[in-house]
Amino acid sequence: MRRRVTLKDVARKSGLAVATVSAICRGKGDFFHISRKTQERVLRIAEKMGYRRNSLAFSLRTGSSNFVAVLGRTFRIPVTQERQNFIAQLFIHLGFQALLYDFHWFDGKEEELLHTVEEIPCAGMVVSDVNTRRLFQTLRQGQTRLPCVLVDSEYHAGLDHVYLDRSSVSYLAASHLLKTGYTRIVYTIPVEKKFWLLQERRRGFVRAMAEAGRQASQANFLWVESEGKFSYQIGLELGEKIATSRKKPEAVMALNDQIAIGLMRGLQRRGLRVPEDIALVGSENLPEGEFCQVPLTSVDFRVKEVAQQTVELFRRRLSGDWSDFPKEIVVQPELVIRSSCGCR
Amino acid sequence: MRRRVTLKDVARKSGLAVATVSAICRGKGDFFHISRKTQERVLRIAEKMGYRRNSLAFSLRTGSSNFVAVLGRTFRIPVTQERQNFIAQLFIHLGFQALLYDFHWFDGKEEELLHTVEEIPCAGMVVSDVNTRRLFQTLRQGQTRLPCVLVDSEYHAGLDHVYLDRSSVSYLAASHLLKTGYTRIVYTIPVEKKFWLLQERRRGFVRAMAEAGRQASQANFLWVESEGKFSYQIGLELGEKIATSRKKPEAVMALNDQIAIGLMRGLQRRGLRVPEDIALVGSENLPEGEFCQVPLTSVDFRVKEVAQQTVELFRRRLSGDWSDFPKEIVVQPELVIRSSCGCR
DNA sequence: CTGAAAGCGCTTACAG
DNA sequence: CTGAAAGCGCTTACAG
């Protein structure tokens, strides 16, 4: 039952005062004109004794917390999972303690999760997927002037926000299809949510059509009920529905890759080939898209770039630079062409 | 710039001493015979002022930390990702602060990650996927007598360990195939690692064969190079290799579902049908297995059960019950029959 | 160059 | 029933 080694222990061992050892360990030895020899000796002793700074005491004393909370809805969603992971990794390498939380843990009552988070005085937080007004309001009335960067969030007014340009996602996909020669295109959109992020998708699609001299109409949108269903399942059902519909589209844009993959199966099950009978584009660019039966053309969400921009903005705020608050950073997606759209 | 509300603030507001308010907030009001009326009044004030206990100060003072570190290698691995998620969720609901870390953040030098973790005095830790001796030794020489439960780890001697019975995984899969009538079965095993967990898989397979009166031989194992490759890709290549081999097996057992799914594509690409030409079993039971072109028969890893057992054991240790240390808890997997093995 | 003192927010004996 | 004091491990002025 070894006790934790504290500064006091190191101080005693090296015959110096705690404050001196503290300064040395923080790398402020030169600043206090402590002789190099002493510094090295102390560091060696600390190392040998296995001294580790106690983050808790540090934060308590300085008020300047080492912790940053990273919240989001990531359960079973590869792309958000990955985003959180990159964000955490960046923070850790900058010397922060990244605290990861998933809204899924308190499903339906995200506010309770925030209570748990609040028990730790953080330097700030990064919150993704703020998709309910209640959650957003709880966030807003929280401690102000602590950096709070939102990511890919439906609600974000008046706060820093980093997000992927959804209108470009559909613009890129639709333009590619149109350029390839498809004109009867169907875009699958979930029916329940009237979210801005989804409307952006619609807008991007409409824009691409317009540029090709076409007018998008209701017939171009396939509204799907996604509530509570698994993406692959949604796709599968959609695929079968499309395959058996009277007037089949030439190309389908799926809301994401998992839906696209399910859709591909649904189409094939009904004897249709991708891309010969129907072309298909996904979005997100999940790794498995590359290994579909027909490698999937998709639009990459650039999670790494989103993560970097987020952490960078967070740091600026933390360092006191609020000159451009609230800032909106829009990351551009990237088209990844594989085989599922063929070439005409 | 609102300051954090502290006990002192609540005490001042309610005209009581800090210690009294502290007792009330901890729910020890009755224990100290504080009048119900006072208690309610104080709680109301605390609530209204938005008081939240400072975990840092609490842990520092009591020494009994609120934090538990949950480490593992989860990046892009759905099944471990999910396991971590369940473990964290359970801890959070028990009032712990779960600190999630991914070895991936410090690839190749897991020890550095442990240093970061050590900055926070934790009540203990849960570590999954301890697959290098170095990591294991670093763990062992860490603070003893703090609960440290390992999960699904290659190295675990002398420590608490919760894991999924890998020999049952392959036993269940193989038995099912044998019962269904297949005899020429191939099991794909990664070539690089001589890990115990993998050998367990071999053993389970051999046992199933033996029970069916067959002797497993080298011909039953297909050694694959998995290093650095993506599971789907591995599967795809394997599928094509198997499809074009001279003496084709009747059934293939894949190391996991992603490999199985890739494999299915590889076979189909070469014109073979699942299960008519070759039957296929995966393991892990990922959600997408259900939505494959041919729904995949698999062996469920029961991550929820593993998570529960882990947290339960952790709590026992934390409460001081070390009577059965070191304990090994073996969770049994479960066969999930879908269509990819057909019926003969 | 080095050390003693105060204090971050809390809880734990102990006193009244 | 309630309060004053000490202390968890650290850092920050300040004194010498």
Side-chain angles (χ1 to χ4, degrees), chain A residues 18-290:
Chain A
V18 170
T20 312
V21 175
S22 164
I24 294 173
C25 288
R26 274 174 295 142
K28 300 273 186 183
D30 285 351
F31 181 79
F32 288 103
H33 304 285
I34 299 170
S35 80
R36 277 294 166 82
K37 226 182 85 190
T38 308
Q39 290 191 45
E40 279 161 26
R41 190 169 63 88
V42 169
L43 287 177
R44 222 175 310 117
I45 292 174
E47 165 83 36
K48 207 174 61 200
M49 296 178 76
Y51 169 71
R52 297 266 116 210
R53 180 178 72 175
N54 183 330
S55 265
L56 273 43
F58 173 86
S59 285
L60 188 58
R61 171 61 237 240
T62 60
S64 76
S65 168
N66 195 14
F67 296 90
V68 35
V70 182
L71 316 189
R73 174 166 294 282
T74 65
F75 187 64
R76 285 187 178 163
I77 307 178
V79 75
T80 54
Q81 191 80 67
E82 214 163 281
R83 195 218 293 130
Q84 295 291 88
N85 210 303
F86 282 132
I87 291 173
Q89 183 172 23
L90 289 168
F91 274 125
I92 292 263
H93 282 287
L94 289 168
F96 290 93
Q97 287 280 359
L99 305 175
L100 289 172
Y101 298 91
D102 190 335
F103 289 130
H104 167 260
W105 298 337
F106 286 84
D107 233 349
K109 24 191 178 175
E110 285 93 347
E111 295 75 13
E112 273 193 42
L113 180 60
L114 283 178
H115 280 180
T116 304
V117 175
E118 277 171 2
E119 288 206 345
I120 304 178
C122 287
M125 56 208 303
V126 168
V127 192
S128 308
D129 316 299
V130 180
N131 294 336
T132 70
R133 178 172 294 282
R134 250 177 69 209
L135 175 57
F136 177 67
Q137 280 167 345
T138 315
L139 277 175
R140 287 239 50 174
Q141 64 187 283
Q143 57 279 359
T144 356
R145 292 291 118 165
L146 281 192
C148 175
V149 179
L150 303 189
V151 182
D152 261 355
S153 289
E154 183 63 24
Y155 297 97
H156 56 265
L159 290 179
D160 286 322
H161 188 206
V162 179
Y163 67 97
L164 184 87
D165 188 339
R166 296 303 201 283
S167 95
S168 287
V169 169
S170 42
Y171 176 82
L172 287 174
S175 299
H176 176 62
L177 288 171
L178 289 160
K179 254 179 267 164
T180 312
Y182 303 100
T183 52
R184 284 215 317 285
I185 304 174
V186 153
Y187 195 8
T188 70
I189 303 271
V191 74
E192 311 90 331
K193 301 172 188 160
K194 299 253 136 71
F195 282 173
W196 160 76
L197 283 173
L198 287 174
Q199 292 183 4
E200 280 292 290
R201 293 211 181 212
R202 296 242 304 283
R203 269 193 275 278
F205 179 77
V206 171
R207 182 156 52 93
M209 290 285 276
E211 281 186 15
R214 310 196 158 264
Q215 166 103 37
S217 76
Q218 277 307 320
N220 290 112
F221 297 102
L222 185 57
W223 303 88
V224 295
E225 295 224 24
S226 67
E227 201 60 54
K229 280 197 222 155
F230 195 66
S231 289
Y232 292 103
Q233 176 69 26
I234 296 168
L236 195 70
E237 291 172 9
L238 272 179
E240 302 208 321
K241 191 165 148 193
I242 291 172
T244 55
S245 66
R246 241 170 8 96
K247 197 170 156 65
K248 291 189 225 345
E250 296 168 346
V252 178
M253 285 169 53
L255 197 71
N256 62 47
D257 284 348
Q258 295 187 333
I259 292 184
I261 291 172
L263 220 149
M264 194 184 288
R265 305 240 169 79
L267 293 174
Q268 287 167 339
R269 200 181 268 186
R270 297 290 174 172
L272 293 183
R273 292 159 307 165
V274 173
E276 292 82 353
D277 299 313
I278 291 187
L280 189 58
V281 203
S283 78
E284 286 184 359
N285 192 26
L286 299 186
E288 54 248 60
E290 201 176 335

Side-chain angles (χ1 to χ4, degrees), chain B residues 170-222:
Chain B
S170 42
Y171 176 81
L172 287 173
S175 299
H176 175 63
L177 288 171
L178 289 161
K179 253 181 267 164
T180 312
Y182 303 99
T183 52
R184 283 214 318 285
I185 305 174
V186 154
Y187 194 10
T188 70
I189 302 272
V191 73
E192 312 89 331
K193 300 171 188 161
K194 298 253 136 72
F195 282 173
W196 159 77
L197 283 172
L198 287 173
Q199 291 183 4
E200 281 292 289
R201 294 214 180 208
R202 296 242 304 284
R203 269 193 274 279
F205 178 77
V206 171
R207 181 156 51 93
M209 291 286 276
E211 280 186 16
R214 308 194 160 268
Q215 165 102 36
S217 76
Q218 278 305 321
N220 291 111
F221 297 103
L222 185 57

Side-chain angles (χ1 to χ4, degrees), chain B residues 37-192:
Chain B
K37 226 182 83 189
T38 309
Q39 289 193 44
E40 279 161 25
R41 191 170 62 87
V42 169
L43 287 178
R44 223 175 308 119
I45 293 174
E47 165 83 36
K48 207 175 63 200
M49 297 178 74
Y51 170 72
R52 297 267 115 210
R53 179 179 72 175
N54 184 330
S55 263
L56 271 42
F58 173 85
S59 285
L60 188 58
R61 172 59 238 238
T62 61
S64 74
S65 167
N66 195 15
F67 296 90
V68 35
V70 182
L71 316 190
R73 173 166 295 281
T74 64
F75 187 64
R76 285 188 178 163
I77 307 178
V79 75
T80 54
Q81 192 80 66
E82 216 164 280
R83 194 218 294 131
Q84 295 290 90
N85 210 303
F86 282 131
I87 291 174
Q89 183 171 24
L90 289 168
F91 274 126
I92 292 264
H93 283 286
L94 289 169
F96 289 94
Q97 287 280 0
L99 306 175
L100 290 172
Y101 298 91
D102 190 335
F103 288 130
H104 167 258
W105 298 338
F106 286 86
D107 233 349
K109 25 193 175 173
E110 285 93 348
E111 295 74 13
E112 273 194 42
L113 181 59
L114 283 178
H115 280 181
T116 304
V117 176
E118 277 171 3
E119 288 205 346
I120 305 178
C122 287
M125 57 208 303
V126 168
V127 192
S128 309
D129 317 299
V130 180
N131 295 337
T132 69
R133 177 172 295 281
R134 249 177 72 207
L135 174 57
F136 177 67
Q137 280 167 345
T138 315
L139 278 174
R140 288 239 49 175
Q141 64 188 283
Q143 56 280 2
T144 356
R145 291 292 120 166
L146 281 190
C148 174
V149 180
L150 303 189
V151 182
D152 262 353
S153 289
E154 183 63 23
Y155 296 97
H156 56 265
L159 290 178
D160 287 321
H161 187 207
V162 179
Y163 67 98
L164 185 86
D165 188 340
R166 297 301 202 286
S167 94
S168 287
V169 169
S170 42
Y171 176 81
L172 287 173
S175 299
H176 175 63
L177 288 171
L178 289 161
K179 253 181 267 164
T180 312
Y182 303 99
T183 52
R184 283 214 318 285
I185 305 174
V186 154
Y187 194 10
T188 70
I189 302 272
V191 73
E192 312 89 331

